[in-house]
Amino acid sequence: MITLNCDFSKSTGLVKPMHGVNNGPMASYYNFDNFHYLTEAGIPYSRLHDTGGFFGGSRFVDVWNIFTDKDADENDPASYDFTFTDLYITKLIEAGVEPFYRLGTTIENGHHIKAYYIYPPKDYEKFARICANIVRHYNYGWADGYHYNIKYWEIWNEPDNSDVIEENPCWKGTKEQFFELYRVVSNHLRREFPEIKVGGYASCGFYACMSGEASAEEIKNANVSPRYKYFVTFFNEFMDYINNPETAAPMDFFTWHTYSAGPRAFIQAEYVRKQLDSRGMNHVESILNEWNPQFMRHGTNDHMVDIAQIMVLLHRYVDQLDFYTADYMAYGSLFDFYSRKPTKAYYVFPAFNELYKLGTAVDVKTGNVNCPALGATDGKTNAIMFVNATAEAQDVSLECTPFKGAKGTMLINDNDHTAETVECEFKSSVELAPKSVVVIKTA
């Protein structure tokens, strides 16, 4: 028996957007018909990275896809081609999803043959002005643009992918060159648009951290690859750089990635938060905006549970999650590539949205990392999301007043049920099927 302790009078703040994604289910020939799935799941954010997937990645979002002639006049609207990105972002807005715009370029997996756009810009100041005009187009109507009020503007993606320039598919420069690029672009955007949030750099992650309290010595001695250790070295030197008064740069949010399963991802999230706080960067949001645990389980009940476990466990330490990815590609675990229909994993997102809509998170404890829970309330309706990541059924004792004897609903996702809602009267406990995700809610 697992005892759940929760006090719905003790708020822990807002329910955070743990059900963001990257991109959306755009089919071939630029078909956006399935974007309704984003609306139905209440997806709050879509990070625009690798946008277009197999069906047009050379036309969307990337700075050099929009500003195609690097020698053109960056102040001339005619130098920009917003056509496809306008279409994509407008479809997201119509679906009720806020774009999370990645300024930079898509990974070039063929870089060993020839790299095109991942070299450091020749003129950092010009690059910054180009980025500013992209912001201006989508937020201030510049160049026949829009007033979408996009909040998050992320600078680059995974510049730390390798410490060997020849092997890095994201940044063909030194780490010091990237530090300078971030400083120039972030400061320019802050001066031009003080109301937006600026951050980056989409770190490859913190796999070298064996605990949330990991010290430099522990990371040095960790039994992981030199590449994983380099991710942490890059992070520490970058943070030292932007916090140095001589090279100071604004950071409203820090983005990072992981493909670890729940307990390991929790350790990494704890490490990131504590590192930021230890540097006096308590105000900086920690955003995990590329993650997909054990994605080779695509379409299975186990994968659904893996995803839900991360959503619940990491709520304590991160400010936003953006799953990679919601389009039709190898990593796109929310939809079947051929049928275009949702997989089991998709249904975790509307399930989490039941809590998100209530607004206020409450203190919930189970004492079991493999059976975590998260509570939410709007002052009238109360809800708890449970995850049973074990292979056995679990009885959970409900030590919380709002549910004992109350009537409500149970939303069930397990091996035999997909988004099935049943009405019930809550007793003293709830039984969770093996490998299940359940949301209970008072009427």
Side-chain angles (χ1 to χ4, degrees):
M1 174 77 71
I2 295 172
T3 299
L4 178 135
N5 292 292
C6 68
D7 186 343
F8 277 83
S9 69
K10 292 185 178 179
S11 167
T12 58
L14 296 176
V15 179
K16 300 171 186 175
M18 300 289 100
H19 54 320
V21 296
N22 279 244
N23 303 311
M26 182 188 76
S28 55
Y29 310 114
Y30 313 105
N31 184 317
F32 296 90
D33 288 353
N34 282 348
F35 269 41
H36 68 90
Y37 287 118
L38 302 179
T39 306
E40 291 161 14
I43 302 299
Y45 293 100
S46 175
R47 178 185 181 234
L48 301 179
H49 172 64
D50 294 343
T51 306
F54 300 124
F55 305 118
S58 63
R59 296 184 174 95
F60 296 94
V61 174
D62 293 3
V63 169
W64 301 131
N65 288 344
I66 290 173
F67 192 82
T68 56
D69 180 357
K70 297 179 183 180
D71 295 321
D73 178 3
E74 72 275 17
N75 297 311
D76 183 356
S79 300
Y80 297 78
D81 185 352
F82 291 107
T83 308
F84 283 88
T85 308
D86 282 356
L87 175 63
Y88 202 100
I89 288 180
T90 298
K91 292 298 182 181
L92 284 175
I93 296 292
E94 290 174 351
V97 181
E98 184 172 336
F100 188 115
Y101 202 110
R102 191 268 294 124
L103 293 164
T105 188
T106 295
I107 188 171
E108 293 189 22
N109 290 310
H111 70 101
H112 57 288
I113 300 172
K114 184 178 180 180
Y116 287 85
Y117 305 121
I118 55 177
Y119 292 97
K122 290 186 296 184
D123 183 339
Y124 288 3
E125 295 288 351
K126 180 176 181 178
F127 184 82
R129 291 191 293 273
I130 295 168
C131 290
N133 280 336
I134 294 174
V135 176
R136 195 168 281 113
H137 175 76
Y138 287 110
N139 283 3
Y140 298 95
W142 184 79
D144 296 321
Y146 306 86
H147 293 84
Y148 285 152
N149 193 30
I150 296 173
K151 186 188 314 175
Y152 290 95
W153 295 86
E154 179 183 39
I155 299 171
W156 220 259
N157 175 76
E158 296 188 358
D160 57 341
N161 200 285
S162 175
D163 62 331
V164 180
I165 293 176
E166 292 75 18
E167 297 176 4
N168 195 324
C170 295
W171 179 251
K172 292 295 184 188
T174 65
K175 60 180 183 295
E176 291 80 11
Q177 286 176 302
F178 175 75
F179 298 169
E180 183 185 358
L181 177 71
Y182 181 88
R183 178 185 64 80
V184 171
V185 175
S186 63
N187 276 295
H188 186 87
L189 294 180
R190 172 62 79 245
R191 288 192 299 270
E192 293 282 325
F193 315 106
E195 70 286 352
I196 68 171
K197 293 187 177 184
V198 178
Y201 51 87
S203 162
C204 282
F206 298 88
Y207 304 99
C209 301
M210 298 297 107
S211 76
E213 302 283 355
S215 66
E217 187 64 23
E218 288 171 325
I219 292 170
K220 179 181 177 182
N221 296 328
N223 185 25
V224 295
S225 68
R227 179 170 175 260
Y228 283 179
K229 293 178 183 179
Y230 176 69
F231 299 163
V232 182
T233 298
F234 190 105
F235 169 79
N236 286 324
E237 293 186 15
F238 174 82
M239 291 300 172
D240 288 344
Y241 180 92
I242 67 168
N243 284 298
N244 184 328
E246 295 182 0
T247 53
M251 173 166 277
D252 298 308
F253 61 90
F254 173 69
T255 51
W256 57 285
H257 302 161
T258 189
Y259 286 88
S260 295
R264 290 286 300 126
F266 178 82
I267 287 171
Q268 295 158 23
E270 181 185 21
Y271 177 81
V272 172
R273 184 69 266 164
K274 290 186 175 181
Q275 286 297 308
L276 292 173
D277 291 350
S278 71
R279 296 171 180 272
M281 302 172 73
N282 310 68
H283 66 286
V284 175
E285 296 177 50
S286 174
I287 298 178
L288 173 55
N289 67 357
E290 185 176 319
W291 65 283
N292 187 342
Q294 306 183 74
F295 63 89
M296 296 306 290
R297 298 192 192 197
H298 175 100
T300 67
N301 193 68
D302 283 353
H303 192 223
M304 174 195 72
V305 173
D306 291 338
I307 290 168
Q309 187 181 24
I310 284 185
M311 282 185 177
V312 173
L313 283 178
L314 271 61
H315 190 270
R316 177 179 176 184
Y317 285 117
V318 305
D319 297 285
Q320 182 182 147
L321 291 179
D322 298 310
F323 183 82
Y324 189 87
T325 173
D327 57 13
Y328 303 115
M329 56 186 294
Y331 286 86
S333 306
L334 303 188
F335 301 96
D336 181 79
F337 184 82
Y338 296 103
S339 72
R340 305 289 194 256
K341 299 297 184 182
T343 64
K344 294 282 284 190
Y346 166 82
Y347 292 98
V348 175
F349 290 75
F352 186 89
N353 194 50
E354 292 299 308
L355 274 64
Y356 190 68
K357 288 186 295 186
L358 294 177
T360 301
V362 298
D363 191 30
V364 176
K365 296 183 178 67
T366 66
N368 190 324
V369 71
N370 289 314
C371 294
L374 180 66
T377 184
D378 64 0
K380 296 180 180 179
T381 300
N382 308 294
I384 301 174
M385 183 172 180
F386 296 98
V387 181
N388 179 9
T390 74
E392 295 81 34
Q394 301 287 344
D395 282 328
V396 180
S397 175
L398 293 176
E399 296 298 325
C400 48
T401 304
F403 284 92
K404 286 187 177 180
K407 293 182 179 181
T409 58
M410 180 179 293
L411 174 63
I412 306 170
N413 286 285
D414 59 28
N415 198 51
D416 300 317
H417 306 85
T418 299
E420 183 174 326
T421 300
V422 298
E423 294 185 359
C424 56
E425 182 174 334
F426 300 111
K427 305 299 184 182
S428 59
S429 66
V430 172
E431 182 177 346
L432 305 179
K435 298 287 185 175
S436 62
V437 180
V438 173
V439 176
I440 63 173
K441 186 166 65 173
T442 59

